[in-house]
């Protein structure tokens, strides 16, 4: 019996047959919860690119994200209850592509309000002035470091140990306090990237992947761009 147990020790934790959850992993599952979270944050900061997809609740609004972010820009789609639109940032230049109803709402403060000028913006990439409220409201969704800093936050006393899986990749889960502080799945394979976040207070679930993969960013063709000048917004909008 003793010889049989020794022979299986490489693959098993003991004669009971329980598998070692850390076998073949990057080892972060053995660390305290705070260190796992810190390693995940560091890995996210060092990566040049990431793809984020999911729902985020912010200031009472629910945003559906599908964004590919890089150090110098981003591209993707943002959806709210009122509208869906494409965001593209190349360097400091932010472009927003939406239908005419969205732009009519931005100009009047009332979504869906008819507007002849808005008709010319619908379906085009509108270059958003840097000082316009539209820029201020949406540019954060195209800034990798800003967006991740706002997302990767668990609340309360951290615990870890539960194992999970995200898209076939084994993970260790770090949870915030009292069951409502959020849960972060951190990769147990290769670099300990954060892979899925259940935000605190049921404020959305976001998946993070394609870390380090190239994001092709280029400005739209000139015939697809409308430069609206110094200001777009006239009110609250979407």
């Amino acid at each position: 019996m003793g010889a049989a147990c020794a022979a299986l020790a490489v693959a098993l934790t003991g004669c009971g047959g329980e598998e070692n959850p850390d076998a073949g992993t990057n080892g972060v599952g053995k660390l305290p919860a705070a260190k796992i979270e810190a390693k995940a944050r560091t890995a996210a900061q060092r990566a040049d690119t990431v793809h984020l997809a999911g729902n985020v609740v912010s200031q009472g609004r629910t945003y559906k994200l599908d964004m590919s972010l890089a150090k110098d820009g981003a591209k993707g789609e943002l959806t709210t209850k009122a509208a869906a639109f494409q965001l593209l940032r190349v360097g400091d230049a932010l472009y927003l592509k939406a239908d005419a109803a969205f732009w009519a709402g931005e100009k009047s403060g009332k979504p869906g309000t008819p507007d002849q000028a808005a008709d010319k913006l619908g379906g085009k990439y509108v270059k958003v002035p840097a000082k316009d409220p539209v820029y201020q409201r949406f540019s954060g969704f195209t800034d990798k470091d800003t967006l991740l800093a706002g997302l990767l936050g668990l609340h309360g006393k951290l615990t870890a140990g539960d194992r999970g899986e995200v898209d076939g990749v084994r993970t260790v889960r770090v949870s915030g306090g009292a069951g409502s502080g959020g849960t972060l799945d951190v990769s147990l394979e290769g670099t300990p990237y954060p892979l899925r976040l259940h935000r605190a207070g049921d404020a959305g679930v976001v998946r993070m992947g394609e870390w380090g993969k190239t994001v092709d960013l280029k400005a739209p063709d000139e015939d697809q761009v409308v430069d609206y000048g110094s200001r777009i917004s006239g009110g609250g909008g979407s």
Side-chain angles (χ1 to χ4, degrees):
M1 181 65 174
C5 190
L8 291 173
V10 174
L12 305 176
T13 58
C15 291
E18 181 183 353
E19 294 186 8
N20 180 357
D22 295 307
T25 72
N26 54 24
V28 297
K30 301 177 182 179
L31 300 175
K35 287 190 175 181
I36 298 174
E37 185 194 34
K39 281 186 171 292
R41 283 180 175 272
T42 298
Q45 291 169 355
R46 289 178 176 174
D48 289 333
T49 62
V50 64
H51 178 253
L52 300 184
N55 298 310
V56 174
V57 179
S58 178
Q59 297 181 345
R61 292 177 177 174
T62 297
Y63 295 92
K64 182 178 179 181
L65 300 173
D66 187 359
M67 297 293 302
S68 294
L69 302 109
K71 293 288 188 182
D72 57 348
K75 65 179 181 180
E77 187 170 85
L78 191 64
T79 305
T80 69
K81 184 177 180 180
F85 46 90
Q86 295 178 39
L87 287 173
L88 170 64
R89 183 173 63 82
V90 183
D92 292 330
L94 178 67
Y95 304 89
L96 196 156
K97 185 178 182 180
D99 61 18
F102 171 87
W103 290 115
E106 286 300 323
K107 292 172 85 290
S108 68
K110 299 177 181 179
T113 303
D115 186 282
Q116 188 173 5
D119 290 340
K120 298 179 180 179
L121 304 180
K124 296 283 189 178
Y125 282 99
V126 176
K127 189 173 183 180
V128 182
K131 294 184 179 180
D132 193 272
V134 174
Y135 192 105
Q136 305 302 320
R137 192 156 81 250
F138 296 126
S139 61
F141 288 103
T142 69
D143 187 305
K144 172 183 170 289
D145 292 337
T146 298
L147 191 54
L148 287 175
L151 288 175
L152 295 178
L154 301 175
H155 302 287
K157 183 178 179 180
L158 301 184
T159 60
D162 290 343
R163 300 307 199 265
E165 186 177 289
V166 177
D167 297 330
V169 178
R170 288 180 293 170
T171 65
V172 59
R173 290 174 176 163
V174 181
S175 298
S180 60
T183 302
L184 181 67
D185 276 82
V186 178
S187 177
L188 284 172
E189 302 177 17
T191 304
Y193 290 122
L195 298 183
R196 180 174 57 202
L197 173 68
H198 288 255
R199 299 186 72 206
D202 295 323
V205 179
V206 179
R207 285 176 178 256
M208 294 158 275
E210 300 181 19
W211 292 98
K213 291 190 176 181
T214 300
V215 177
D216 185 20
L217 295 173
K218 61 180 181 179
D221 293 337
E222 289 187 8
D223 62 352
Q224 291 297 311
V225 176
V226 176
D227 191 331
Y228 202 72
S230 63
R231 188 176 177 84
I232 295 173
S233 182
S238 64

